[in-house]
Coordinates of all heavy atoms in Angstrom, one line a residue:
M319 N -14.7 -6.2 4.1 CA -14.8 -4.8 4.1 C -16.2 -4.4 3.5 O -16.5 -4.9 2.4 CB -13.7 -4.3 3.2 CG -13.5 -2.8 3.3 SD -12.0 -2.1 2.5 CE -11.0 -3.4 1.9
S320 N -17.0 -3.7 4.2 CA -18.3 -3.3 3.7 C -18.2 -2.2 2.7 O -17.3 -1.4 2.7 CB -19.2 -2.9 4.8 OG -19.0 -1.6 5.2
T321 N -19.2 -2.2 1.8 CA -19.2 -1.2 0.7 C -19.5 0.2 1.3 O -19.2 1.2 0.6 CB -20.3 -1.5 -0.3 OG1 -21.5 -1.6 0.3 CG2 -19.9 -2.8 -1.0
S322 N -19.9 0.4 2.5 CA -20.2 1.7 3.1 C -19.0 2.3 3.7 O -19.0 3.5 4.1 CB -21.4 1.6 4.1 OG -20.9 0.8 5.2
E323 N -17.9 1.6 3.9 CA -16.7 2.1 4.5 C -16.0 3.0 3.5 O -15.8 2.7 2.3 CB -15.7 1.0 4.9 CG -16.2 0.3 6.1 CD -15.1 -0.7 6.6 OE1 -15.1 -1.8 6.0 OE2 -14.4 -0.4 7.5
Q324 N -15.6 4.2 4.0 CA -14.9 5.1 3.1 C -13.4 4.7 3.2 O -12.8 4.6 4.2 CB -15.0 6.5 3.6 CG -14.4 7.6 2.7 CD -14.7 8.9 3.0 OE1 -15.2 9.2 4.1 NE2 -14.4 9.9 2.1
L325 N -12.8 4.6 2.0 CA -11.4 4.2 1.8 C -10.5 5.4 1.6 O -11.0 6.3 0.9 CB -11.2 3.2 0.7 CG -12.0 1.9 0.8 CD1 -11.8 1.0 -0.4 CD2 -11.6 1.1 2.1
V326 N -9.3 5.3 2.1 CA -8.3 6.4 1.8 C -7.0 5.7 1.4 O -6.7 4.6 1.8 CB -8.1 7.3 3.1 CG1 -9.3 8.0 3.5 CG2 -7.6 6.4 4.3
T327 N -6.3 6.5 0.6 CA -5.0 6.0 0.2 C -3.9 6.3 1.2 O -3.8 7.4 1.6 CB -4.6 6.6 -1.2 OG1 -5.6 6.3 -2.1 CG2 -3.2 6.1 -1.7
V328 N -3.2 5.2 1.7 CA -2.2 5.5 2.7 C -0.8 5.6 2.1 O 0.1 6.2 2.7 CB -2.1 4.4 3.8 CG1 -3.4 4.4 4.6 CG2 -2.0 3.0 3.2
C329 N -0.6 5.0 0.9 CA 0.6 5.2 0.1 C 0.5 4.6 -1.3 O -0.5 4.0 -1.6 CB 1.8 4.6 0.9 SG 1.8 2.8 1.0
T330 N 1.5 4.9 -2.1 CA 1.5 4.3 -3.4 C 2.8 3.5 -3.6 O 3.8 3.8 -2.9 CB 1.4 5.4 -4.5 OG1 2.5 6.3 -4.4 CG2 0.1 6.1 -4.4
A331 N 2.8 2.6 -4.5 CA 4.0 1.7 -4.7 C 3.9 1.0 -6.1 O 2.9 1.1 -6.7 CB 4.1 0.7 -3.6
R332 N 4.9 0.3 -6.5 CA 4.9 -0.5 -7.6 C 4.1 -1.8 -7.2 O 3.9 -2.1 -6.1 CB 6.3 -0.9 -8.1 CG 7.0 0.4 -8.7 CD 8.4 0.0 -9.1 NE 9.1 0.1 -7.8 CZ 10.4 0.1 -7.7 NH1 11.2 0.0 -8.8 NH2 11.0 0.1 -6.6
Y333 N 3.6 -2.5 -8.3 CA 2.7 -3.6 -8.0 C 3.3 -4.7 -7.0 O 2.6 -5.0 -6.1 CB 2.4 -4.3 -9.3 CG 1.4 -5.4 -9.2 CD1 0.0 -5.1 -9.0 CD2 1.8 -6.7 -9.2 CE1 -0.9 -6.1 -8.9 CE2 0.9 -7.8 -9.0 CZ -0.5 -7.4 -8.8 OH -1.4 -8.5 -8.7
M334 N 4.5 -5.1 -7.2 CA 5.0 -6.2 -6.3 C 5.2 -5.7 -4.9 O 4.9 -6.4 -3.9 CB 6.3 -6.8 -6.8 CG 6.1 -7.6 -8.1 SD 4.9 -8.9 -8.0 CE 5.7 -10.0 -6.9
E335 N 5.6 -4.4 -4.7 CA 5.8 -3.8 -3.4 C 4.4 -3.7 -2.7 O 4.2 -3.9 -1.6 CB 6.4 -2.5 -3.5 CG 7.9 -2.5 -4.0 CD 8.4 -1.1 -4.3 OE1 7.6 -0.2 -4.7 OE2 9.6 -1.0 -4.2
A336 N 3.4 -3.3 -3.5 CA 2.0 -3.1 -3.0 C 1.5 -4.5 -2.5 O 0.8 -4.5 -1.5 CB 1.2 -2.5 -4.1
Q337 N 1.8 -5.5 -3.2 CA 1.3 -6.9 -2.8 C 1.9 -7.2 -1.4 O 1.3 -7.8 -0.6 CB 1.7 -7.9 -3.8 CG 0.9 -7.8 -5.1 CD -0.6 -8.2 -4.9 OE1 -1.0 -8.8 -3.9 NE2 -1.4 -7.8 -5.8
I338 N 3.2 -6.9 -1.2 CA 3.9 -7.2 0.0 C 3.3 -6.3 1.1 O 3.0 -6.9 2.2 CB 5.4 -7.0 -0.1 CG1 6.0 -8.0 -1.1 CG2 6.1 -7.0 1.3 CD1 7.4 -7.7 -1.5
M339 N 3.1 -5.1 0.9 CA 2.4 -4.2 1.8 C 1.0 -4.6 2.2 O 0.6 -4.6 3.4 CB 2.4 -2.8 1.3 CG 3.7 -2.1 1.2 SD 3.5 -0.4 0.5 CE 5.2 -0.1 0.1
K340 N 0.3 -5.1 1.2 CA -1.1 -5.6 1.4 C -1.0 -6.8 2.4 O -1.8 -6.9 3.3 CB -1.7 -6.0 0.1 CG -3.1 -6.6 0.3 CD -3.7 -7.0 -1.1 CE -5.1 -7.4 -0.9 NZ -5.5 -8.6 -1.6
G341 N -0.1 -7.7 2.1 CA 0.0 -8.9 3.0 C 0.4 -8.5 4.4 O -0.2 -9.1 5.4
R342 N 1.2 -7.6 4.6 CA 1.7 -7.1 5.9 C 0.5 -6.5 6.6 O 0.3 -6.8 7.8 CB 2.8 -6.1 5.7 CG 3.3 -5.5 7.0 CD 4.0 -6.5 7.9 NE 4.5 -5.9 9.1 CZ 4.0 -6.1 10.3 NH1 3.0 -6.9 10.5 NH2 4.5 -5.4 11.4
L343 N -0.2 -5.6 6.0 CA -1.4 -5.0 6.6 C -2.5 -6.0 7.0 O -3.1 -6.0 8.1 CB -1.9 -3.8 5.8 CG -1.0 -2.6 5.6 CD1 -1.6 -1.7 4.6 CD2 -0.7 -2.0 6.9
E344 N -2.8 -6.9 6.0 CA -3.8 -7.9 6.3 C -3.4 -8.8 7.4 O -4.2 -9.3 8.2 CB -4.1 -8.7 5.0 CG -4.9 -7.8 4.0 CD -5.2 -8.6 2.7 OE1 -4.5 -9.6 2.4 OE2 -6.1 -8.1 2.0
S345 N -2.1 -9.1 7.6 CA -1.6 -9.9 8.7 C -1.9 -9.2 10.0 O -1.9 -9.9 11.1 CB -0.2 -10.3 8.6 OG 0.7 -9.2 8.8
E346 N -2.0 -7.9 10.0 CA -2.3 -7.1 11.2 C -3.8 -6.9 11.4 O -4.3 -6.1 12.3 CB -1.6 -5.8 11.2 CG -0.1 -5.9 11.2 CD 0.5 -6.3 12.6 OE1 -0.2 -6.1 13.6 OE2 1.6 -6.8 12.6
G347 N -4.6 -7.5 10.5 CA -6.1 -7.4 10.6 C -6.7 -6.2 9.9 O -7.8 -5.8 10.2
I348 N -5.9 -5.5 9.1 CA -6.4 -4.3 8.4 C -6.7 -4.7 6.9 O -5.9 -5.2 6.2 CB -5.3 -3.2 8.3 CG1 -5.0 -2.8 9.8 CG2 -5.8 -2.0 7.5 CD1 -3.9 -1.8 9.9
P349 N -8.0 -4.5 6.6 CA -8.4 -4.9 5.2 C -7.8 -3.9 4.2 O -7.7 -2.7 4.5 CB -10.0 -4.8 5.2 CG -10.3 -3.9 6.4 CD -9.1 -4.1 7.4
V350 N -7.4 -4.4 3.0 CA -6.7 -3.6 2.1 C -7.3 -3.7 0.7 O -7.7 -4.9 0.3 CB -5.2 -3.9 2.0 CG1 -4.5 -3.1 0.9 CG2 -4.6 -3.8 3.3
L351 N -7.4 -2.7 -0.1 CA -7.8 -2.7 -1.5 C -6.7 -2.1 -2.3 O -6.2 -1.0 -1.9 CB -9.1 -1.9 -1.7 CG -9.6 -1.8 -3.1 CD1 -10.2 -3.2 -3.6 CD2 -10.6 -0.7 -3.3
L352 N -6.3 -2.7 -3.3 CA -5.3 -2.2 -4.2 C -6.0 -1.6 -5.4 O -6.8 -2.3 -6.0 CB -4.3 -3.3 -4.7 CG -3.5 -3.9 -3.6 CD1 -2.5 -5.0 -4.2 CD2 -2.7 -2.9 -2.7
S353 N -5.7 -0.4 -5.8 CA -6.3 0.3 -6.9 C -5.2 0.6 -7.9 O -4.2 1.3 -7.5 CB -7.0 1.5 -6.4 OG -7.5 2.3 -7.5
Y354 N -5.3 0.1 -9.1 CA -4.3 0.4 -10.2 C -4.9 0.4 -11.6 O -6.0 -0.2 -11.8 CB -3.2 -0.6 -10.1 CG -3.6 -2.0 -10.1 CD1 -3.8 -2.8 -11.2 CD2 -3.9 -2.7 -8.9 CE1 -4.2 -4.1 -11.2 CE2 -4.3 -4.0 -8.9 CZ -4.4 -4.7 -10.0 OH -4.8 -6.0 -10.0
E355 N -4.2 1.0 -12.5 CA -4.6 1.0 -13.9 C -4.1 -0.3 -14.5 O -2.9 -0.5 -14.5 CB -4.0 2.2 -14.6 CG -4.2 2.3 -16.0 CD -5.6 2.5 -16.4 OE1 -6.3 3.3 -15.8 OE2 -6.1 1.7 -17.3
S356 N -4.9 -1.1 -15.0 CA -4.5 -2.4 -15.5 C -3.5 -2.3 -16.7 O -2.7 -3.2 -16.9 CB -5.7 -3.2 -15.9 OG -6.5 -2.6 -16.9
A357 N -3.6 -1.2 -17.5 CA -2.6 -1.1 -18.6 C -1.2 -1.0 -18.2 O -0.3 -1.6 -18.8 CB -3.0 0.1 -19.4
G358 N -1.0 -0.4 -17.0 CA 0.4 -0.3 -16.5 C 0.9 -1.7 -16.1 O 2.1 -2.0 -16.3
L359 N 0.0 -2.5 -15.6 CA 0.4 -3.9 -15.2 C 0.6 -4.8 -16.4 O 1.6 -5.5 -16.5 CB -0.7 -4.5 -14.3 CG -0.4 -5.8 -13.7 CD1 0.8 -5.9 -12.8 CD2 -1.6 -6.3 -12.9
I360 N -0.2 -4.6 -17.4 CA -0.1 -5.5 -18.6 C 1.1 -5.1 -19.4 O 1.9 -6.0 -19.8 CB -1.4 -5.3 -19.5 CG1 -2.6 -6.0 -18.7 CG2 -1.2 -6.0 -20.8 CD1 -3.9 -5.6 -19.3
Y361 N 1.4 -3.8 -19.6 CA 2.5 -3.4 -20.4 C 3.8 -3.1 -19.7 O 4.8 -2.9 -20.3 CB 2.1 -2.2 -21.3 CG 0.9 -2.5 -22.2 CD1 -0.3 -1.9 -22.0 CD2 1.1 -3.4 -23.3 CE1 -1.4 -2.2 -22.9 CE2 0.1 -3.7 -24.1 CZ -1.2 -3.1 -23.9 OH -2.2 -3.4 -24.8
G362 N 3.7 -3.1 -18.4 CA 4.9 -2.9 -17.6 C 5.3 -1.5 -17.6 O 6.5 -1.2 -17.4
L363 N 4.4 -0.5 -17.8 CA 4.8 0.9 -17.9 C 4.7 1.5 -16.5 O 3.8 1.2 -15.7 CB 3.8 1.6 -18.8 CG 3.8 1.2 -20.3 CD1 2.7 1.9 -21.0 CD2 5.1 1.4 -20.9
T364 N 5.6 2.4 -16.2 CA 5.6 3.0 -14.9 C 5.9 4.5 -15.1 O 6.6 5.1 -14.3 CB 6.7 2.4 -14.0 OG1 8.0 2.6 -14.6 CG2 6.4 1.0 -13.6
I365 N 5.3 5.1 -16.1 CA 5.4 6.6 -16.3 C 4.1 7.3 -16.1 O 3.0 6.7 -16.3 CB 5.9 6.8 -17.7 CG1 5.0 6.2 -18.8 CG2 7.3 6.3 -17.9 CD1 5.2 6.7 -20.2
D366 N 4.2 8.5 -15.6 CA 3.0 9.4 -15.5 C 1.9 8.7 -14.7 O 0.7 8.9 -15.0 CB 2.5 9.7 -16.9 CG 2.3 11.2 -17.1 OD1 2.6 12.0 -16.1 OD2 1.7 11.6 -18.1
G367 N 2.3 8.0 -13.6 CA 1.2 7.4 -12.8 C 0.8 6.0 -13.3 O 0.1 5.3 -12.5
L368 N 1.1 5.7 -14.5 CA 0.8 4.4 -15.0 C 1.7 3.3 -14.4 O 2.9 3.5 -14.3 CB 0.9 4.3 -16.5 CG 0.1 3.4 -17.3 CD1 -1.4 3.5 -17.0 CD2 0.4 3.5 -18.8
G369 N 1.1 2.3 -13.8 CA 1.9 1.3 -13.1 C 2.0 1.6 -11.6 O 2.4 0.8 -10.8
E370 N 1.4 2.7 -11.2 CA 1.3 3.1 -9.8 C 0.2 2.4 -9.1 O -0.9 2.3 -9.7 CB 1.2 4.6 -9.6 CG 1.0 5.1 -8.2 CD 0.8 6.6 -8.2 OE1 -0.3 7.0 -8.4 OE2 1.8 7.3 -8.0
V371 N 0.4 1.8 -7.9 CA -0.7 1.1 -7.2 C -1.0 1.9 -5.9 O -0.1 2.2 -5.2 CB -0.3 -0.3 -6.9 CG1 -1.4 -1.0 -6.1 CG2 0.1 -1.1 -8.1
K372 N -2.2 2.2 -5.7 CA -2.7 2.9 -4.5 C -3.0 1.8 -3.5 O -3.8 0.9 -3.7 CB -3.9 3.8 -4.7 CG -3.6 4.9 -5.6 CD -4.8 5.7 -5.9 CE -4.5 6.8 -6.9 NZ -5.8 7.5 -7.2
I373 N -2.4 1.9 -2.3 CA -2.8 1.0 -1.2 C -3.9 1.7 -0.4 O -3.6 2.8 0.3 CB -1.6 0.7 -0.3 CG1 -0.6 -0.2 -1.1 CG2 -2.0 -0.1 0.9 CD1 0.5 0.6 -1.8
M374 N -5.1 1.2 -0.3 CA -6.2 1.8 0.3 C -6.8 1.0 1.4 O -6.9 -0.2 1.4 CB -7.3 2.1 -0.8 CG -6.8 2.9 -2.0 SD -8.1 3.0 -3.3 CE -9.1 4.3 -2.5
V375 N -7.1 1.7 2.5 CA -7.6 1.1 3.7 C -8.8 1.9 4.2 O -9.0 3.1 3.9 CB -6.5 1.0 4.8 CG1 -5.3 0.2 4.4 CG2 -6.1 2.4 5.3
P376 N -9.7 1.3 5.1 CA -10.8 2.1 5.7 C -10.2 3.3 6.5 O -9.1 3.3 7.1 CB -11.4 1.1 6.7 CG -11.1 -0.2 6.1 CD -9.7 -0.1 5.6
R377 N -10.9 4.4 6.3 CA -10.4 5.7 6.9 C -10.0 5.6 8.4 O -9.0 6.1 8.8 CB -11.5 6.8 6.8 CG -11.1 8.1 7.4 CD -12.1 9.2 7.2 NE -12.4 9.6 5.8 CZ -11.5 10.3 5.1 NH1 -10.4 10.8 5.6 NH2 -11.8 10.6 3.8
H378 N -10.8 4.8 9.2 CA -10.6 4.8 10.6 C -9.3 3.9 11.0 O -8.8 4.0 12.1 CB -11.8 4.3 11.4 CG -12.1 2.8 11.1 ND1 -12.8 2.3 10.0 CD2 -11.8 1.7 11.9 CE1 -12.9 1.0 10.0 NE2 -12.3 0.6 11.2
L379 N -8.8 3.2 10.0 CA -7.6 2.4 10.2 C -6.3 3.0 9.5 O -5.3 2.4 9.5 CB -7.8 1.0 9.7 CG -8.9 0.2 10.5 CD1 -9.1 -1.1 9.8 CD2 -8.4 0.0 11.9
A380 N -6.5 4.2 8.9 CA -5.4 4.8 8.1 C -4.2 5.0 8.9 O -3.1 4.7 8.4 CB -5.9 6.0 7.4
E381 N -4.3 5.7 10.0 CA -3.1 6.0 10.8 C -2.4 4.8 11.3 O -1.2 4.7 11.3 CB -3.5 6.9 12.0 CG -3.8 8.3 11.6 CD -2.7 9.0 10.7 OE1 -1.5 8.9 11.1 OE2 -3.1 9.6 9.7
E382 N -3.1 3.8 11.7 CA -2.5 2.5 12.2 C -1.8 1.8 11.0 O -0.7 1.3 11.1 CB -3.6 1.6 12.7 CG -3.1 0.3 13.2 CD -4.1 -0.7 13.7 OE1 -5.3 -0.3 13.8 OE2 -3.8 -1.8 14.0
A383 N -2.4 1.9 9.8 CA -1.7 1.3 8.6 C -0.4 2.0 8.3 O 0.6 1.4 8.0 CB -2.7 1.3 7.4
K384 N -0.5 3.3 8.3 CA 0.7 4.1 8.0 C 1.8 3.8 9.0 O 3.0 3.7 8.6 CB 0.4 5.6 8.1 CG -0.4 6.1 6.9 CD -0.7 7.6 7.0 CE -1.6 8.0 6.0 NZ -2.0 9.5 6.1
E385 N 1.5 3.6 10.3 CA 2.5 3.3 11.3 C 3.1 1.9 11.1 O 4.3 1.8 11.2 CB 1.9 3.4 12.7 CG 2.9 3.2 13.8 CD 4.0 4.2 13.8 OE1 3.9 5.3 13.4 OE2 5.1 3.8 14.3
I386 N 2.2 0.9 10.7 CA 2.7 -0.4 10.4 C 3.7 -0.4 9.3 O 4.8 -1.0 9.3 CB 1.6 -1.4 10.2 CG1 0.8 -1.6 11.5 CG2 2.0 -2.7 9.5 CD1 -0.5 -2.3 11.2
L387 N 3.4 0.4 8.2 CA 4.3 0.5 7.1 C 5.5 1.2 7.4 O 6.6 0.9 6.9 CB 3.5 1.1 5.9 CG 2.3 0.3 5.3 CD1 1.6 1.1 4.2 CD2 2.8 -1.1 4.8
R388 N 5.4 2.2 8.2 CA 6.6 3.0 8.6 C 7.6 2.1 9.4 O 8.8 2.1 9.2 CB 6.2 4.2 9.5 CG 6.5 5.5 8.9 CD 6.3 6.6 9.9 NE 5.0 6.6 10.6 CZ 3.9 7.2 10.2 NH1 3.9 7.9 9.1 NH2 2.8 7.1 11.0
V389 N 7.1 1.3 10.4 CA 7.9 0.4 11.2 C 8.5 -0.6 10.3 O 9.7 -1.0 10.4 CB 7.0 -0.3 12.3 CG1 7.7 -1.4 12.9 CG2 6.6 0.8 13.3
G390 N 7.8 -1.1 9.3 CA 8.3 -2.1 8.4 C 9.5 -1.6 7.5 O 10.5 -2.2 7.3
E391 N 9.3 -0.3 7.1 CA 10.4 0.4 6.4 C 11.6 0.5 7.2 O 12.7 0.3 6.7 CB 9.9 1.7 5.9 CG 10.8 2.5 5.0 CD 11.0 1.8 3.6 OE1 10.1 1.1 3.2 OE2 12.1 2.0 3.0
F392 N 11.5 0.9 8.5 CA 12.6 1.0 9.4 C 13.3 -0.3 9.6 O 14.5 -0.4 9.5 CB 12.2 1.6 10.7 CG 13.3 1.8 11.7 CD1 14.1 2.9 11.5 CD2 13.5 0.9 12.7 CE1 15.2 3.1 12.4 CE2 14.6 1.1 13.6 CZ 15.4 2.2 13.5
A393 N 12.5 -1.4 9.8 CA 13.0 -2.7 10.0 C 13.8 -3.3 8.9 O 14.8 -4.0 9.1 CB 11.9 -3.7 10.4
K394 N 13.5 -2.9 7.6 CA 14.2 -3.4 6.5 C 15.4 -2.6 6.1 O 16.0 -2.8 5.0 CB 13.3 -3.7 5.3 CG 12.8 -2.5 4.6 CD 12.0 -2.8 3.4 CE 11.7 -1.6 2.5 NZ 11.0 -1.9 1.4
G395 N 15.7 -1.5 6.9 CA 16.8 -0.7 6.6 C 16.5 0.5 5.7 O 17.4 0.9 5.0
G396 N 15.3 0.9 5.7 CA 14.9 2.1 4.9 C 15.5 3.3 5.5 O 16.5 3.3 6.3
E397 N 15.0 4.5 5.1 CA 15.5 5.8 5.6 C 15.6 5.8 7.1 O 14.7 5.5 7.8 CB 14.7 6.9 5.2 CG 14.8 7.2 3.7 CD 14.1 8.4 3.3 OE1 13.9 9.3 4.1 OE2 13.6 8.5 2.2
G398 N 16.8 6.0 7.6 CA 17.1 6.1 9.0 C 17.2 4.7 9.7 O 17.5 4.6 10.8
G399 N 17.1 3.7 8.9 CA 17.2 2.3 9.4 C 18.7 1.9 9.6 O 19.6 2.4 8.9
D400 N 18.9 0.9 10.4 CA 20.3 0.4 10.6 C 20.6 -0.6 9.5 O 19.9 -1.7 9.5 CB 20.4 -0.3 12.0 CG 21.8 -0.8 12.3 OD1 22.7 -0.4 11.6 OD2 21.9 -1.6 13.3
K401 N 21.5 -0.3 8.7 CA 21.8 -1.2 7.5 C 22.9 -2.2 7.8 O 23.3 -2.9 6.9 CB 22.2 -0.3 6.3 CG 21.1 0.5 5.9 CD 21.5 1.3 4.7 CE 20.3 2.3 4.3 NZ 20.5 3.0 3.1
S402 N 23.3 -2.3 9.1 CA 24.4 -3.3 9.4 C 23.8 -4.7 9.7 O 22.7 -4.9 9.9 CB 25.3 -2.8 10.5 OG 24.5 -2.5 11.6

């Protein structure tokens, strides 16, 4: 990922979920940067945005990334998914 590419946040998650999402997007060829406050990770706090991880991708790949994450949510039985 070049330093001149503008990044946008496609979603936020907890640290472990963000790592899974990062792996999923990277397996589809989308570069990912995780942005988080280190104090939340060290102390395990998840209040007031502390502990929140931003999943960031290049602007031109944002819609594709959102769609990949949406499909993944449906496949694992998320909202609207088949839980049987």
Side-chain angles (χ1 to χ4, degrees):
M319 193 170 353
S320 81
T321 56
S322 64
E323 286 185 278
Q324 187 172 13
L325 300 175
V326 295
T327 301
V328 292
C329 67
T330 59
R332 289 176 282 192
Y333 183 77
M334 291 307 291
E335 293 169 333
Q337 288 291 343
I338 293 167
M339 290 178 194
K340 179 181 186 224
R342 175 70 176 110
L343 292 173
E344 287 179 339
S345 74
E346 295 287 338
I348 298 176
V350 178
L351 176 75
L352 299 181
S353 175
Y354 52 90
E355 175 63 48
S356 60
L359 184 59
I360 292 169
Y361 297 113
L363 300 173
T364 57
I365 56 170
D366 229 7
L368 206 55
E370 176 181 83
V371 179
K372 295 177 184 175
I373 293 91
M374 303 176 78
V375 301
R377 179 178 296 283
H378 70 280
L379 296 171
E381 286 306 313
E382 182 181 354
K384 288 177 185 178
E385 184 59 30
I386 289 167
L387 295 176
R388 247 189 310 270
V389 168
E391 185 68 24
F392 182 77
K394 74 174 187 179
E397 288 186 32
D400 182 14
K401 296 183 181 181
S402 56

